[in-house]
Amino acid sequence: MNSELTTAVRRIVVLGGGSAGWLTAATLAAELGGDAPDALQITLIESPDVPSIGVGEGTWPTMRATLHRIGLSEVDLIRECDAAFKQGSCFDGWLHGGAGDRYYHPFTLPHGHGEVDLAGAWLEARGEQVFADSVSAQPQVCDARLAPKQTTTPDFGGVLNYGYHFDAVKLGHLLRRHATTVLGVRHVVDHFTAVRSHENGDIAALATRTHGDLQGDLFIDCSGLASLLLGQHYGVGLRSEKGVLFNDRALAVQVPHADARAPLASATVSTAHAEGWTWDIGLPDRRGIGLVYSSSHTGDAAAERALLAYLQRSGLAQADVSPRRLSFSPGYREHFWHRNCVAVGLSAGFIEPLEASALALVELSAAMIRDEMPANRADMDLVAKRFNEGFAYRWSRIIDFLKLHYVLSRRDDADYWREHRSAATQPESLRELLQLWAHRAPSRNDFYRNEEVFPSASYQYVLYGMQFKPALRALRAGQRAAAEAGLKDVTTITRRLLGGLPRHRDLIQHIRDHGMPPAA
């Protein structure tokens, strides 16, 4: 066998910093780095001139385990990244835009999910009441601006499931410091200038302006939307999803709270309107607000007017606003691992900010690279095949889930919404699921992979939050009794949590001042 194929993979070079680059480097270094003879040597190259996009400010609950596993504390995250707890997403105006058009997609699963059919019982007995409120305490906890844990709950522990809101630029800085000072990642601040290749087409080294050629065995492309290695060097194309999910522009601002002492939200608020939709993320010391839209349906000037109108309705009319303009092509790479190069983060693709899947994909990508790290170049092609198959599946499921929000809308105030409902813009896989769900609830049988980005419960929250009315089979007596008992349990749990959880802002201040008990 060729000696190049049997050479051990030891040198990992990450191109690009930001949340994606530093999270990937830290994930690998925490378990595969160190001083052992077979430890990985991890180098991250970061340009001194390319700023982080800095608008990915929400995570999924998976981030708790990721941070714990790389050795960061939740206290440090909250103190250094202006972080708060995220308990899910709140959707305003997505169904019809009228009074009462509001629902939650909380992070806590429906009570007894997978064992008790609360969806069937809800439709039979409480079909006119809000689904998420009936099956989970979390929406009412969010409405009351309460935290998902108590002051005595340990680091990363929770009474309810949660992720985070944070300042993305500050998170990158925290990850960088931790990776370099604790985990031994080599940080090279320099301009990447060229790719040096082996005769077989593999990348041999990345040339830099002042540090020369940085050699490696595996190269991880975290260079953002530019995709300098996978996209530009190897020419791996982007599979466009513009015909399914139309958004390709965003305006983003960071503004102060209208009242710095006001209760702090713990859900991302996504508000639909004729021009697209607006995200609103509350951090302890400011708000991050942005408008997402399609350049095929809305002009830049109209989008900016819509963003300013939202700020005025939010009591921020006097804010000094200079929106940051972002452009992207919704889609993902035809494959993600090519030869000895793998793309992670925006270099692999981006669809849109709805439901905050971007950082979850970074976590999943970094974890699979860590867990499947090829022993040598011969094994790398096998790992790449598995990686490409797994992430092609994940991207397609994310697209189905995001499209679901638009397909179920009844808004009729713009072509943007009407065209989103057109069958011609819907993936066949989603149409098939909707046909099945007309007669049964989404279940684990619909999503069979490990670590699904959006489990069946997420689909239930969106379907029934958007008043999708299936014709489910009648529950049998035993099923009905168990489900009705579960619905009563939710009422009891909700009452207890509303009386026992601290206010979100108060808990954040307590953690800043006093910390938290260490994780178990």
Side-chain angles (χ1 to χ4, degrees), residues 236-388:
V236 176
L238 192 75
R239 173 176 169 166
S240 176
E241 295 293 339
K242 174 70 172 171
V244 177
L245 290 158
F246 311 149
N247 293 326
D248 60 358
R249 299 285 189 276
L251 298 172
V253 295
Q254 296 177 354
V255 293
H257 290 281
D259 179 355
R261 297 168 296 178
L264 181 64
S266 61
T268 299
V269 179
S270 301
T271 302
H273 43 74
E275 295 79 13
W277 65 272
T278 301
W279 79 74
D280 193 337
I281 290 174
L283 304 186
D285 298 329
R286 66 164 174 83
R287 285 163 67 178
I289 298 174
L291 187 141
V292 185
Y293 62 104
S294 162
S295 62
S296 299
H297 298 83
T298 301
D300 292 341
E304 185 163 345
R305 287 194 299 271
L307 176 61
L308 293 176
Y310 181 89
L311 294 175
Q312 290 173 347
R313 291 193 301 271
S314 302
L316 298 167
Q318 304 305 315
D320 183 14
V321 176
S322 297
R324 183 177 181 186
R325 298 181 181 275
L326 305 170
S327 298
F328 54 93
S329 297
Y332 58 94
R333 297 290 160 188
E334 293 170 355
H335 48 273
F336 314 99
W337 194 322
H338 181 73
R339 305 197 69 88
N340 65 335
C341 172
V342 56
V344 174
L346 297 179
S347 58
F350 183 71
I351 302 298
E352 64 160 275
L354 189 66
E355 294 281 12
S357 61
L359 275 177
L361 281 170
V362 171
E363 293 179 79
L364 289 168
S365 298
M368 187 168 182
I369 296 169
R370 175 198 65 210
D371 296 342
E372 300 285 335
M373 180 61 63
N376 51 50
R377 181 62 183 84
D379 288 354
M380 192 176 293
D381 290 337
L382 300 177
V383 173
K385 179 175 183 291
R386 292 160 58 90
F387 188 96
N388 289 331

Side-chain angles (χ1 to χ4, degrees), residues 170-290:
K170 291 180 179 179
L171 175 68
H173 294 164
L174 175 62
L175 290 168
R176 178 177 64 196
R177 189 188 71 207
H178 183 70
T180 55
T181 63
V182 178
L183 301 178
V185 175
R186 180 190 178 196
H187 184 204
V188 174
V189 180
D190 205 344
H191 297 275
F192 160 71
T193 58
V195 173
R196 310 294 189 205
S197 298
H198 289 297
E199 290 184 2
N200 67 355
D202 280 3
I203 299 175
L206 301 184
T208 62
R209 186 176 297 174
T210 59
H211 288 78
D213 292 353
L214 299 176
Q215 298 179 336
D217 304 309
L218 174 64
F219 295 82
I220 302 178
D221 187 351
C222 295
S223 61
L225 295 173
S227 192
L228 296 174
L229 301 184
L230 191 72
Q232 293 193 29
H233 173 69
Y234 277 123
V236 176
L238 192 75
R239 173 176 169 166
S240 176
E241 295 293 339
K242 174 70 172 171
V244 177
L245 290 158
F246 311 149
N247 293 326
D248 60 358
R249 299 285 189 276
L251 298 172
V253 295
Q254 296 177 354
V255 293
H257 290 281
D259 179 355
R261 297 168 296 178
L264 181 64
S266 61
T268 299
V269 179
S270 301
T271 302
H273 43 74
E275 295 79 13
W277 65 272
T278 301
W279 79 74
D280 193 337
I281 290 174
L283 304 186
D285 298 329
R286 66 164 174 83
R287 285 163 67 178
I289 298 174

Side-chain angles (χ1 to χ4, degrees), residues 366-412:
M368 187 168 182
I369 296 169
R370 175 198 65 210
D371 296 342
E372 300 285 335
M373 180 61 63
N376 51 50
R377 181 62 183 84
D379 288 354
M380 192 176 293
D381 290 337
L382 300 177
V383 173
K385 179 175 183 291
R386 292 160 58 90
F387 188 96
N388 289 331
E389 289 174 351
F391 280 89
Y393 171 85
R394 286 189 169 118
W395 278 96
S396 63
R397 293 290 74 73
I398 287 171
I399 290 163
D400 281 351
F401 185 63
L402 300 188
K403 183 67 173 181
L404 181 68
H405 297 64
Y406 296 96
V407 168
L408 297 175
S409 177
R410 303 173 196 163
R411 293 189 69 106
D412 201 34

Side-chain angles (χ1 to χ4, degrees), residues 7 47 90 130 140 187 210 236 272 276 325 355 420 440 443 507:
T7 300
S47 169
C90 176
V130 177
Q140 293 187 55
H187 184 204
T210 59
V236 176
R325 298 181 181 275
E355 294 281 12
H420 262 303
R440 66 166 175 82
S443 75
L507 179 61

